[in-house]
Amino acid sequence: MAFELPELPYAYDALGPYMSAETLEFHHDKHHQAYVTNGNKLLEGSGLEGKSLEEIVKESYGKNAGLFNNAGQHFNHIHFWKWMKPNGGGAIPGELEKAIIADIGSVAKFREEFLAAGAGQFGSGWAWLTLKDGKLSVTKTPNGENPLVHGGTPLLGVDVWEHSYYIDYRNARPKYLEAFFDNLVNWDYVAELYAKAA
Ligand code: MN3
């Protein structure tokens, strides 16, 4: 199964002023495209052709670094585009909100932990809301890694590679994280993933 670049689920200028068209043009058309192109080259002859993307991510982890980095980032970005929407943020759907309160303490504490994980990830990587063994938690991973390779299910992830925010926020990663959480997150999609995984 060859990797394919999905179209953005909204217009390039739809996430302004929180994420600009210029950021999305570079991030989607150049960075994500490069993971797809390089991933397809590295998939050839890897023995993992014909597997699903999730299987490729899990099975290449720790064994085929080049393929893993590109397949992991392909997986992460497919979801990242869907984890955002115009006029996002706001209230978290009921069942998911209940689970966040039960497992993390409160929505405010979840927000605080999520922003801290994103700001505290040294260098490139991701911060996550992860479901593992029936419990929600906030985690972070370096580079293209994600919760799949640690036995969890990623329900929400934010890209903290500089290419995700430098055009709009320069070095102010915490401001980008606040804008992401408060104004961009598509909670309906997060709730959909939670309902599937829980
Ligand atoms: Mn990225």
Side-chain angles (χ1 to χ4, degrees), residues 27 35 73 77 126 159 161 163-164:
H27 199 173
Y35 300 132
Q73 284 290 71
H77 286 80
W126 294 74
D159 187 343
W161 287 56
H163 65 228
S164 193

Side-chain angles (χ1 to χ4, degrees), residues 91-119:
I92 300 176
E95 291 303 308
L96 177 61
E97 185 187 36
K98 269 188 224 162
I100 286 171
I101 293 167
D103 293 342
I104 298 174
S106 67
V107 171
K109 185 152 181 284
F110 161 53
R111 180 181 180 278
E112 190 183 312
E113 284 187 16
F114 190 80
L115 299 191

Side-chain angles (χ1 to χ4, degrees), residues 58-77:
K58 288 191 229 177
E59 292 181 28
S60 63
Y61 181 62
K63 293 180 192 144
N64 182 339
L67 177 59
F68 172 75
N69 288 336
N70 287 282
Q73 284 290 71
H74 180 42
F75 175 92
N76 295 347
H77 286 80

Side-chain angles (χ1 to χ4, degrees), residues 11-21 24 85-87 168 183-184:
Y12 287 92
D13 62 359
L15 300 185
Y18 307 107
M19 187 175 283
S20 66
L24 284 168
K85 67 170 189 180
N87 304 307
D168 298 322
N183 302 104
L184 292 175

Side-chain angles (χ1 to χ4, degrees), residues 1-2 17 25-26 36 63 98 107 113 127 135 138 163 167:
M1 177 206 82
E25 281 160 11
F26 275 91
V36 168
K63 293 180 192 144
K98 269 188 224 162
V107 171
E113 284 187 16
K135 203 170 184 299
V138 171
H163 65 228
I167 291 171

Side-chain angles (χ1 to χ4, degrees), residues 19-78:
M19 187 175 283
S20 66
E22 190 184 358
T23 289
L24 284 168
E25 281 160 11
F26 275 91
H27 199 173
H28 176 271
D29 299 6
K30 308 287 185 197
H31 291 277
H32 191 172
Q33 179 66 64
Y35 300 132
V36 168
T37 304
N38 294 328
N40 279 328
K41 278 184 207 151
L42 293 161
L43 186 58
E44 252 176 68
S46 68
L48 297 175
E49 306 95 325
K51 303 253 184 184
S52 73
L53 176 57
E54 292 196 17
E55 287 170 326
I56 293 167
V57 169
K58 288 191 229 177
E59 292 181 28
S60 63
Y61 181 62
K63 293 180 192 144
N64 182 339
L67 177 59
F68 172 75
N69 288 336
N70 287 282
Q73 284 290 71
H74 180 42
F75 175 92
N76 295 347
H77 286 80
I78 287 173

Side-chain angles (χ1 to χ4, degrees), residues 89-191:
I92 300 176
E95 291 303 308
L96 177 61
E97 185 187 36
K98 269 188 224 162
I100 286 171
I101 293 167
D103 293 342
I104 298 174
S106 67
V107 171
K109 185 152 181 284
F110 161 53
R111 180 181 180 278
E112 190 183 312
E113 284 187 16
F114 190 80
L115 299 191
Q121 170 55 40
F122 185 77
S124 296
W126 294 74
W128 305 98
L129 175 65
T130 303
L131 183 69
K132 188 178 176 184
D133 303 327
K135 203 170 184 299
L136 294 174
S137 65
V138 171
T139 62
K140 61 185 176 181
T141 57
N143 303 316
E145 241 178 75
N146 63 45
L148 286 180
V149 302
H150 302 292
T153 304
L155 301 182
L156 173 66
V158 63
D159 187 343
V160 300
W161 287 56
E162 284 186 345
H163 65 228
S164 193
Y165 61 89
Y166 218 83
I167 291 171
D168 298 322
Y169 298 90
R170 297 300 170 188
N171 60 326
R173 192 193 284 185
K175 280 209 165 65
Y176 155 69
L177 290 165
E178 282 177 20
F180 176 86
F181 194 98
D182 296 339
N183 302 104
L184 292 175
V185 175
N186 181 350
W187 290 112
D188 291 331
Y189 184 57
V190 181

